[in-house]
């Protein structure tokens, strides 16, 4: 007997932008959108990996303007609706207005776990524009449950219709997800969502825990294409949840087809857990830091894992990508001094 419906939101064309180095082409977006629409995915996200306005030297320049990609995706969809991510301080209200003109029907306003108050005007604008409006609490492992509830209540008070527990570092374990989702279900009236990363190989287990605890919005990415070790794999999630008796509304064969016949063909590399992404989950580092860290490690000739461990100790968060190079330079400098031989007396 079917238990209840779960809304799977696909983030391939947004979170996957990190792995693609923000170089999605119009054709890649068009064909992926067609496949998602055919599979009857209700919402999927299209924007720079760091949200609207994210194309920059600090976060990475987009190959194609995201508004053009939104337009392309919207133009081929008869069923699916386009979501966009907006991080206050990166994206602006003007960016959101432009995204709506391009075809966006949902906005997910994302802040650090302790900074929900910066999202008030953006959430209110989302509601004014008639968008499905979501609050997205990133790096959810970095605050106690009580703080999570406090911040989620702020989102709800601003008008968020869904509030997400976002495991940006892939650092949470299933019992921690259960604890957080349960707390929000008990304290909020709006719907609850979960966004997972697979740096500790916990994405699917965490997703199942979230659904069982009452989350009704769940993120996934085709072939797990996303930052770090990627996200919960959409096509696998559809199969798992259907086997558990949940109704996803997504056609399993069609979602497998777009994953294998489209996304797998343009992925730059398989999404796997390697030493560096594993350390990201272990030390609680923002998943989108991975490629920046690899680049810094090569530049300074050091072990990228050392950079990630230090970033985790510093509790670095999204928006602090410049710290990656500062930390790398410091480690290289200290290593050079350590290995300098003492003069013979």
């Amino acid at each position: 007997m079917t238990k209840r419906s779960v809304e799977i939101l696909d983030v391939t064309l947004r979170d996957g932008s990190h792995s693609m180095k923000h170089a999605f082409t119009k054709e890649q977006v068009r064909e992926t959108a067609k496949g998602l629409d055919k599979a009857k995915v209700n919402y999927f996200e299209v924007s720079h990996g760091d949200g609207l306005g994210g194309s920059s030297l600090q976060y990475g320049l987009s190959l194609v303007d995201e508004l053009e990609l939104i337009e392309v995706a919207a133009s081929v969809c008869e069923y699916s609706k386009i979501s966009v991510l907006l991080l206050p301080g990166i994206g602006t209200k003007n960016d959101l207005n432009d995204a709506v003109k391009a075809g966006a029907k949902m906005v997910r306003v994302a802040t650090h776990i302790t900074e929900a108050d910066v999202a008030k005007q953006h959430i209110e604008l989302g509601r004014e524009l008639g968008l499905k409006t979501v609050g997205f609490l990133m790096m959810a492992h970095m605050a106690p449950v009580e703080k999570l509830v406090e911040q989620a209540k702020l989102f709800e008070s601003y008008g968020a219709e869904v509030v997400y527990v976002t495991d940006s570092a892939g650092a949470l374990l299933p019992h921690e997800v259960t604890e957080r989702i349960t707390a929000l279900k008990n304290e909020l009236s709006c719907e609850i969502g979960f966004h997972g990363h697979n740096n500790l190989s916990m994405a699917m287990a965490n997703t199942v825990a979230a659904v069982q605890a009452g989350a009704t919005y769940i993120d996934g990415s085709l072939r797990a294409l996303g930052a770090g070790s990627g996200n919960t794999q959409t096509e696998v999630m559809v199969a798992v949840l259907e086997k558990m008796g949940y109704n996803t509304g997504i056609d399993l064969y069609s979602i497998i087809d777009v994953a294998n016949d489209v996304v797998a063909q343009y992925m730059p590399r398989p999404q796997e857990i390697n030493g560096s992404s594993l350390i990201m989950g272990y030390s609680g580092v923002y998943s989108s830091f991975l490629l920046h860290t690899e680049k810094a490690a090569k530049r300074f000739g050091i072990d990228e894992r050392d950079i990630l461990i230090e970033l985790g100790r510093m509790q670095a968060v999204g928006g602090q990508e410049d710290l990656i190079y500062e930390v790398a330079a410091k480690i290289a400098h200290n290593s050079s001094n350590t290995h300098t031989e003492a003069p013979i007396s």
Side-chain angles (χ1 to χ4, degrees):
M1 180 178 177
T2 299
K3 295 181 180 178
R4 60 179 168 82
S5 295
V6 177
E7 190 77 70
I8 293 178
L9 190 152
D10 188 84
V11 297
T12 306
L13 297 175
R14 198 279 302 168
D15 216 316
S17 181
H18 292 295
S19 291
M20 294 290 292
K21 297 182 180 179
H22 313 296
F24 276 121
T25 66
K26 289 184 180 181
E27 184 62 19
Q28 289 166 347
V29 169
R30 181 181 294 108
E31 292 307 307
T32 305
K34 282 182 180 179
L36 290 167
D37 188 67
K38 181 179 179 181
K40 295 294 189 290
V41 174
N42 200 18
Y43 289 102
F44 65 88
E45 202 156 63
V46 183
S47 53
H48 185 279
D50 291 286
L52 297 176
S55 181
S56 63
L57 290 175
Q58 180 174 4
Y59 300 114
L61 294 170
S62 296
L63 176 66
V64 179
D65 185 279
E66 62 192 338
L67 295 176
E68 295 182 39
L69 298 181
I70 293 168
E71 286 179 348
V72 166
S75 71
V76 298
C77 289
E78 296 180 359
Y79 176 87
S80 301
K81 294 178 281 293
I82 311 302
S83 173
V84 292
L85 187 74
L86 189 154
L87 280 67
I90 298 176
T92 67
K93 293 166 72 174
N94 286 338
D95 289 325
L96 182 55
N97 278 302
D98 289 341
V100 170
K101 292 174 184 175
K105 302 297 183 183
M106 171 190 275
V107 61
R108 305 205 296 176
V109 182
T111 74
H112 183 60
I113 184 64
T114 59
E115 298 175 356
D117 60 312
V118 304
K120 184 176 187 294
Q121 60 181 317
H122 303 87
I123 290 177
E124 290 176 344
L125 177 60
R127 294 302 301 271
E128 289 171 14
L129 292 171
L131 301 174
K132 185 76 173 180
T133 305
V134 179
F136 209 65
L137 288 168
M138 301 188 294
M139 300 293 276
H141 71 285
M142 290 185 68
V145 174
E146 296 75 19
K147 175 61 75 170
L148 170 70
V149 170
E150 170 196 289
Q151 298 295 297
K153 284 183 174 180
L154 287 179
F155 270 148
E156 186 178 43
S157 73
Y158 303 151
E161 298 167 87
V162 187
V163 174
Y164 264 75
V165 174
T166 307
D167 187 17
S168 315
L172 291 174
L173 299 176
H175 72 278
E176 295 172 313
V177 173
T178 298
E179 183 181 26
R180 285 160 172 76
I181 298 295
T182 299
L184 294 190
K185 284 292 292 182
N186 289 339
E187 297 290 339
L188 275 66
S189 299
C190 67
E191 293 190 82
I192 309 302
F194 177 75
H195 173 101
H197 280 268
N198 203 40
N199 297 331
L200 290 178
S201 196
M202 288 288 110
M204 188 62 69
N206 284 344
T207 293
V208 169
V211 171
Q212 290 180 322
T216 52
Y217 276 74
I218 300 293
D219 284 8
S221 186
L222 299 168
R223 294 295 284 244
L225 184 65
S229 294
N231 303 93
T232 314
Q233 193 164 342
T234 301
E235 64 275 21
V236 179
M237 183 174 18
V238 171
V240 169
L241 292 178
E242 293 284 352
K243 279 179 67 69
M244 292 176 65
Y246 292 97
N247 175 30
T248 67
I250 296 174
D251 182 75
L252 180 59
Y253 282 15
S254 295
I255 200 69
I256 291 173
D257 288 345
V258 65
N260 293 346
D261 299 342
V262 179
V263 177
Q265 305 309 311
Y266 62 65
M267 289 175 64
R269 58 183 179 181
Q271 289 288 173
E272 59 185 8
I273 302 169
N274 57 31
S276 296
S277 58
L278 171 58
I279 291 296
M280 297 185 91
Y282 175 74
S283 57
V285 175
Y286 199 52
S287 291
S288 65
F289 281 11
L290 183 61
L291 296 182
H292 295 285
T293 303
E294 290 176 354
K295 186 176 179 181
K298 288 180 181 179
R299 175 178 171 183
F300 290 95
I302 58 176
D303 192 323
E304 60 202 57
R305 293 171 296 184
D306 289 337
I307 303 173
L308 292 168
I309 288 289
E310 179 61 14
L311 290 169
R313 187 193 66 77
M314 298 171 67
Q315 296 192 313
V317 299
Q320 293 182 312
E321 281 78 358
D322 53 330
L323 270 181
I324 297 171
Y325 293 92
E326 292 179 19
V327 168
K330 182 178 178 180
I331 291 172
H333 176 74
N334 291 342
S335 177
S336 176
N337 288 342
T338 299
H339 293 116
T340 300
E341 294 184 7
I344 299 175
S345 57

